[in-house]
Amino acid sequence: MEGSRRPGWHRLGPAERCSHLASALGIERDEVERAVRDGGIPLEVADRLVEDVVGTFGLPFAIAPNFRIDGRDVLVPMAVEEPSVVAAAANAARLVREGGGFVTACDPPVMACQVQVFADDLATAKARILAARDALVQAAREADPGLAAAGGGPVGIEVRTVDADDPNESFLVVHVLVDVRDAMGANAVNTVGEALAPRLAALAGGRTGLRILTNLADRRLARVEARVPLAALRMEGFEPAQVRDGIVAASRFAELDPYRAVTHNKGIMNGTDAVVVATGNDWRAVEAGAHAYAARDGRYRPLCTWRRDGDDLAGRLEMPLAVGTIGGATRVHPGARLALRVAGADTSTRLAAVAASVGMANNLAALRALATEGIQKGHMRLHGRSR
Ligand code: MEV
């Protein structure tokens, strides 16, 4: 969508914002309003989506302006209950825009199904499974021909040995790697894993245990880089260099202290989750993957860091992001469908790029406030809309 820079956006009312959105999308305002009204989901749809429904539960649905991601202007849908998160994202996006915008690089959408395999002789079982790798990938492809036809499907098999203190408790874990294209992928990989399990048990001369995806989607990383020119960091009462160095020092705090890193990452998830929720995706999966990735080397670390680069401030974020643009709620939830359209997220990778960029924006906004006037004053000012 062209033109995400919308001065005065925060001064409009919801109906006016809907009108702008409608004209940007080339649809009637009524269509936009119907998609976001009453939590964006009709009761009959909610009743089909989950069990034992009595109603629907709404969240504010906002559109953050100013984002430029990979050379494209993006209006960002955010569903979130916390005041100032949307304003903070929009504000930081305006700063990053002055440095050219967010630049992303996302991995292909590869997810893994874990199949747990028990056998008396794990070394032999592992060798036999690895020797049959090509045939297993072919069998996995036949388990979901639709995915292969869409350009995805199984791409590899890995075998890990999980050693327990008592060797009798040790087992193998077969990771069936599947390119899930535009799906979040849980259903796709679980189908493939269940289909392969009997064959794996036979090869191992043993039995299989659990067959389920891993939410540590470390094959599906989203990376974002951003640069803020020194002049853009000007703030009342602070020199731009003070702001920049304060943000770098705040980043170092998170790099050195896990207690701070958790809060730092929570600020990232303020933005990322808001996009994930607005687009009908599984935020628990994204949260679980993000925090596990943050602790991948045994110590919990920040997902986004900031450095001085010349005079400028430069940031880098890396996190797993398993999100989809097809299937699940993205298919049936009118609000989620509108959100995907607004974000221009026509592929899962593009949606991941947007969600990760918004996470980075919220992190930048939080560190800028924390390193200067403090979060209470900074966020209150944003919430008070003096932007
Ligand atoms: C509040 O929702 C998020 C922050 O705590 C993040 C941070 O401390 O970096 C402000």
Side-chain angles (χ1 to χ4, degrees), residues 82 260 263-264 266-267 270 366-367 370 375 379:
E82 185 176 332
R260 172 58 205 153
T263 321
H264 178 104
K266 189 276 182 184
N270 274 347
L367 299 196
L370 287 166
I375 204 72
H379 273 188

Side-chain angles (χ1 to χ4, degrees), residues 220-350:
R220 202 177 184 179
L221 299 179
R223 299 176 194 81
V224 190
E225 290 189 1
R227 164 177 294 273
V228 184
L230 183 63
L233 291 168
R234 194 173 309 283
M235 271 176 89
E236 207 183 305
F238 297 89
E239 288 301 321
Q242 233 184 319
V243 180
R244 176 199 61 207
D245 297 345
I247 292 171
V248 172
S251 174
R252 290 296 295 151
F253 183 177
E255 289 160 46
L256 295 168
D257 178 18
Y259 281 89
R260 172 58 205 153
V262 172
T263 321
H264 178 104
N265 287 345
K266 189 276 182 184
I268 295 171
M269 301 317 289
N270 274 347
T272 297
D273 277 343
V275 177
V276 172
V277 172
T279 54
N281 272 281
D282 181 346
W283 73 92
R284 289 86 57 208
V286 170
E287 281 278 337
H291 297 296
Y293 190 71
R296 65 194 175 283
D297 64 2
R299 159 129 170 232
Y300 191 93
R301 295 183 191 280
L303 296 166
C304 181
T305 54
W306 297 91
R307 290 283 178 274
R308 177 178 174 170
D309 185 6
D311 276 347
D312 298 346
L313 176 70
R316 189 184 281 266
L317 171 144
E318 183 176 274
M319 66 189 289
L321 252 166
V323 287
T325 55
I326 57 170
T330 60
R331 190 165 48 86
V332 294
H333 191 300
R337 291 171 68 87
L338 181 85
L340 287 169
R341 231 170 128 179
V342 170
D346 48 2
T347 63
S348 61
T349 309
R350 194 161 274 178

Side-chain angles (χ1 to χ4, degrees), residues 64-75:
N66 301 337
F67 277 84
R68 190 157 180 83
I69 303 173
D70 298 325
R72 248 172 16 110
D73 270 24
V74 182
L75 287 172

Side-chain angles (χ1 to χ4, degrees), residues 147-272:
L147 197 52
V155 293
I157 302 273
E158 287 174 346
V159 187
R160 297 168 43 231
T161 307
V162 175
D163 288 314
D165 289 341
D166 174 354
N168 291 323
E169 276 187 351
S170 298
F171 51 84
L172 299 180
V173 185
V174 179
H175 282 197
V176 185
L177 304 174
V178 182
D179 181 327
V180 298
R181 295 286 87 198
D182 291 324
M184 180 272 182
N187 284 331
V189 297
N190 292 344
T191 301
V192 168
E194 288 187 357
L196 279 197
R199 215 167 159 143
L200 291 169
L203 281 166
R207 67 181 175 87
T208 55
L210 304 193
R211 294 137 293 154
I212 187 76
L213 88 163
T214 172
N215 287 119
L216 178 48
D218 57 3
R219 301 288 178 136
R220 202 177 184 179
L221 299 179
R223 299 176 194 81
V224 190
E225 290 189 1
R227 164 177 294 273
V228 184
L230 183 63
L233 291 168
R234 194 173 309 283
M235 271 176 89
E236 207 183 305
F238 297 89
E239 288 301 321
Q242 233 184 319
V243 180
R244 176 199 61 207
D245 297 345
I247 292 171
V248 172
S251 174
R252 290 296 295 151
F253 183 177
E255 289 160 46
L256 295 168
D257 178 18
Y259 281 89
R260 172 58 205 153
V262 172
T263 321
H264 178 104
N265 287 345
K266 189 276 182 184
I268 295 171
M269 301 317 289
N270 274 347
T272 297

